[in-house]
Amino acid sequence: MRRRYPASRTGRRVLIFARRSTLEKTKGSLVIVGSGINTTCHLTQEAIARIKSAEKVLYVVGDPIGKNVISRLNPEAESMASFYEPGKPRMTTYEQMIARMVECVVAGLRTCAVFYGHPGVFAYPTHEAIRRLRGQGYQARMLPGISAEDCLFADLGVDPAQHGCQSYEATQLALYRYKLDPTVALVVWQPGAFAQHTYSAEEYDLSRLPELLAYLSEFYPLEHEVCVYEASIFPECEPRADWIPLRRLVEVPLTSASTMYVPPVRRAVPDPAALERLGLPVATSPRPA
Ligand SMILES: C[S@@+](CC[C@H](N)C(=O)[O-])C[C@H]1O[C@@H](n2cnc3c(N)ncnc32)[C@H](O)[C@@H]1O
């Protein structure tokens, strides 16, 4: 809200200054868009328009084609991938990304940041940059993108409406011991970076993965079939969808692009009293697992 100043000559000057400084402060802005998992095919029309019209583009996408697509849309595009360094805590990298986004906006630039997948899904720096910039009075917003989970639903034929869906980060799942419901589908993110707080350009040391397996086995039989899934990052290519018994989780290769899908073990049974209270026929209850 604008403050009122006395109507003296000096006062008017103060008012003009206050208006101008507000305008100058809000000139820089941030929009964060997602490149999807397969940048060539998943960039939305809205994201393309924002990348093209931005005065500064910052991006974090893994695939080389994605980098070319973004650089062609805007030659001012600057990769933030160099903030990742082997052995460096991921939080340090995220803080550097946030600082760079904030720096560009405060410098007065209409800034567009591109993060892979959906920019707000398992992406701390995006939400945090928006929160900090809004706190300083700048315009900052996020546009949705296609996440790995969206690709999983399409490739594996999973509809979260059918059984519901639990979605957890692998390390947090084992750490916070979230209670799992085996009648509900489960998506486990980042199993390939289990118990790691630093970045590695190579595959991670997964010697602690049995801890995740032990926790999952408290809810699921070891013979239950689960899927190690990797959406294709290139057009016209098939995803990886390896169905294995849960017990083999510690044997199969897991990469930084792996997501695990665990189907429900059995169907949920509707509560007869709730059916009656809601006046619904049994047919509206979930279909068999
Ligand atoms: C830091 S999160 C980023 C998620 C991303 N923002 C999104 O919307 O999908 C990284 C995790 O996303 C998942 N992921 C990334 N790329 C993937 C792919 N190509 N296929 C399946 N899962 C993927 C994996 O679980 C990976 O460990």
Side-chain angles (χ1 to χ4, degrees):
M1 195 191 300
R2 206 171 60 224
R3 281 185 59 190
R4 287 197 176 279
Y5 294 93
S8 69
R9 256 188 102 189
T10 326
R12 268 198 294 275
R13 232 178 271 137
V14 171
L15 178 58
I16 289 163
F17 176 76
R19 273 189 186 145
R20 194 178 294 150
S21 63
T22 307
L23 280 175
E24 278 163 7
K25 198 179 175 193
T26 53
K27 195 179 149 236
S29 63
L30 178 67
V31 61
I32 302 189
V33 304
S35 66
I37 297 298
N38 165 355
T39 312
T40 325
C41 302
H42 291 179
L43 264 180
T44 64
Q45 293 300 317
E46 196 179 19
I48 291 171
R50 295 304 190 119
I51 295 169
K52 276 184 172 170
S53 64
E55 290 170 316
K56 182 72 195 172
V57 172
L58 303 168
Y59 67 91
V60 186
V61 293
D63 63 297
I65 295 184
K67 289 174 194 164
N68 285 343
V69 171
I70 293 166
S71 299
R72 238 182 272 157
L73 288 171
N74 191 320
E76 293 304 311
E78 170 188 321
S79 171
M80 292 198 284
S82 58
F83 290 136
Y84 285 111
E85 282 173 63
K88 184 164 148 185
R90 260 187 251 133
M91 271 319 273
T92 309
T93 298
Y94 296 158
E95 284 300 334
Q96 288 176 320
M97 289 177 179
I98 295 166
R100 184 69 186 122
M101 288 186 269
V102 169
E103 183 183 38
C104 290
V105 174
V106 171
L109 298 171
R110 267 182 298 105
T111 306
C112 176
V114 190
F115 282 73
Y116 81 94
H118 184 304
V121 172
F122 288 81
Y124 164 77
T126 55
H127 289 291
E128 188 56 19
I130 288 175
R131 194 188 65 77
R132 289 187 199 174
L133 282 166
R134 283 182 180 166
Q136 293 175 43
Y138 291 98
Q139 278 188 1
R141 68 173 298 208
M142 181 184 287
L143 302 178
I146 296 179
S147 72
E149 193 178 64
D150 295 322
C151 298
L152 182 151
F153 291 152
D155 284 329
L156 302 188
V158 172
D159 183 347
Q162 201 174 11
H163 310 289
C165 188
Q166 311 163 91
S167 197
Y168 291 109
E169 200 279 330
T171 308
Q172 288 183 12
L173 182 56
L175 199 58
Y176 294 99
R177 325 298 281 179
Y178 293 118
K179 293 284 168 260
L180 297 174
D181 181 343
T183 68
V184 173
L186 169 67
V187 175
V188 182
W189 298 73
Q190 306 195 145
F194 184 71
Q196 308 292 320
H197 75 287
T198 59
Y199 171 78
S200 165
E202 310 298 322
E203 278 176 20
Y204 286 103
D205 165 19
L206 292 179
S207 54
R208 295 192 179 90
L209 202 59
E211 179 75 23
L212 177 64
L213 176 59
Y215 188 64
L216 289 170
S217 69
E218 290 181 23
F219 303 91
Y220 300 93
L222 283 170
E223 293 309 313
H224 187 54
E225 290 277 313
V226 304
C227 184
V228 175
Y229 170 75
E230 288 175 16
S232 172
I233 57 172
F234 300 118
E236 304 290 327
C237 292
E238 291 300 312
R240 172 185 175 196
D242 291 343
W243 286 91
I244 52 162
L246 177 59
R247 67 179 159 74
R248 289 200 53 221
L249 179 65
V250 290
E251 297 165 21
V252 295
L254 293 174
T255 74
S256 57
S258 300
T259 297
M260 189 180 163
Y261 173 68
V262 185
V265 172
R266 58 179 182 278
R267 63 176 292 186
V269 180
D271 175 36
L275 276 176
E276 201 176 315
R277 277 198 306 277
L278 298 174
L280 293 171
V282 182
T284 57
S285 61
R287 277 171 270 158

